[in-house]
Amino acid sequence: MLKFFNTLTRKIEEFRPIKKGKVGLYSCGPTVYDFVHLGNLRAYVFVDLLKRFLKYKGFKAKHVMQITDVDDKTIRDSQAKGKGLKEFTDFYLKAFLEDIKELNIKEPDFIPRAIEHIREMVVLVKKLEKNGYTYRANNSIYFKISQFKNYGQLAQLEKQDLKKGASGRVLKDEYGKEEANDFVLWKAWQKEDGENFWQTEIGKGRPGWHLECSAMSMKYLGEHFDIHTGGTDLIFPHHTNEIAQSEAATGKKFVNYWLHNAHLLVDNQKMSKSLSNFYTLRDLKEKKYHPLLLRIILIKIHYRQLLNFTFNEFEEAKAIAEKFINFLTNLDFIQNKESNNLKIDFLINHCQNAFGKALDDDLNISQAFAVIFDFMNEINKLADRINVSQAGKIKKFIFEIDEVFGFIEKLDDEYKKFLEKKKSVEIKQLLKERQKARELKDFALADELRKKIEGLGLLIEDTKEGFILKVRDFLGKI
Ligand code: AMP
Ligand code: ZN
């Protein structure tokens, strides 16, 4: 039974989709005024894991992630660069899509941009006006939270807590004068906005940040959908306000399950632009770290656990990657056609069940990894009693679970290509000579040749049927 921790109830709940076999999934996307940092990427790797597992379970998920391409920061920085908002944000949107591709994150089915959905936002504000949830001040339109009975339920806030909880960014960008916690739906044009405004039925201006997500999620997923994700910093006020606006407009429950990922920390502080304690994927690549190692780092810790980022994490991720590559390489070299180990099918079935069960439990990823590692250890023990077709079956199974993990097959492919490239004419010649020396039982010469080959960055593992050639430290600095 699939279960998630629902922030709305603070309980682990069974997942029941609104429509059988289908899932409507929405994630808050980036504000495209700069490259995303590793903390943001944690949020996107988390939703990728969730989506991949839903698919693995047979659900058809429709995933929407909005792009914030109009707000104080995008306007400020585009003006500083002397660029139009669209041109400026296009650049960072493209960079974002490149980053997620490198982490093997599947692209959302819809990636709506705020500036292309102003009409939908205006319609939503008009509905809220009609339903009596708004007021105007200095030509801006605000949402009156005292009018909305359940305000703050998601964040479990008591009314007196509301002021304390509001962050600096929110006060600046989304709050108005009349009541500190009322938030802006439509921001009237000010001269600092320059050319960045829309002339609409509700006035000249631009939308508030919270409004974007309500308008775009409901456009693509309907007024009531299954899952909404984001980092815990978004619980209040962003998601709290999304709920208020959406439910006040439609009179329906907005979202059934709210899933929030914990933060990525640096020195025990949230990685964030404002603290200048962040790295981007580009920084890591400059330092020659493989992007998929970052995927492993971000995926292997439970999404609701804080992760204090240090560069030591890469060593552990590398060990995990190598474990899988080694396992698959050894399977490729199996040539045994006779023995038929009856335990293999049992081990695969057992592992498959345990893997599904672990992730069913609110994506218990550590348990899922443990189950797979146990399986690989068991198989390794049986290595010389596995036949070719069983080796194929095991490999197929590993690639199946990789539909969820999302790094094994890709790394294995890269590894093979890398190995082929390494096998220069010189190495091929040395290998031949070494084989010949072994046949002639000239072990001293064979040993000398092995050392030469190793000096060129390769490893030789002798087996009953010949030898396996491996790359030494493939994932070292690349
Ligand atoms: P933003 O562009 O700040 O709205 O953030 C985009 C996404 O990244 C949101 O889901 C945030 O909650 C998430 N996020 C931001 N910083 C971190 C962090 N340090 N760790 C985990 N998630 C984060
Ligand atoms: Zn949002």
Side-chain angles (χ1 to χ4, degrees), residues 62 116-117 119-120 214-222:
K62 180 171 169 187
E116 287 166 3
H117 292 78
R119 201 178 58 80
E120 286 81 351
S214 288
M216 291 191 271
S217 60
M218 290 199 284
K219 167 165 180 173
Y220 293 93
L221 296 170

Side-chain angles (χ1 to χ4, degrees), residues 129-240:
E129 274 188 323
K130 192 165 147 253
N131 294 355
Y133 286 95
T134 65
Y135 61 88
R136 284 181 185 252
N138 299 328
N139 295 326
S140 289
I141 305 175
Y142 294 88
F143 185 93
K144 198 175 176 110
I145 60 169
S146 58
Q147 196 75 13
F148 186 70
K149 195 164 88 288
N150 287 332
Y151 188 83
Q153 189 196 355
L154 179 76
Q156 297 198 336
L157 296 173
E158 297 299 331
K159 284 266 188 289
Q160 66 270 23
D161 289 337
L162 295 178
K163 279 183 197 171
K164 274 195 307 210
S167 70
R169 142 163 139 174
V170 170
L171 283 169
K172 187 166 165 277
D173 201 19
E174 277 89 21
Y175 281 72
K177 289 179 192 138
E178 191 175 304
E179 192 178 329
N181 301 296
D182 288 344
F183 57 91
V184 74
L185 295 164
W186 187 257
K187 224 173 167 176
W189 179 81
Q190 294 170 307
K191 64 175 182 318
E192 305 89 87
D193 293 340
E195 292 170 0
N196 301 303
F197 65 85
W198 284 264
Q199 189 72 59
T200 72
E201 298 152 66
I202 54 173
K204 174 179 173 177
R206 59 180 164 100
W209 172 42
H210 313 304
L211 184 72
E212 294 176 11
C213 283
S214 288
M216 291 191 271
S217 60
M218 290 199 284
K219 167 165 180 173
Y220 293 93
L221 296 170
E223 292 174 347
H224 176 214
F225 60 91
D226 297 292
I227 305 179
H228 195 311
T229 73
T232 49
D233 54 313
L234 299 189
I235 295 173
F236 180 78
H238 184 52
H239 291 163
T240 297

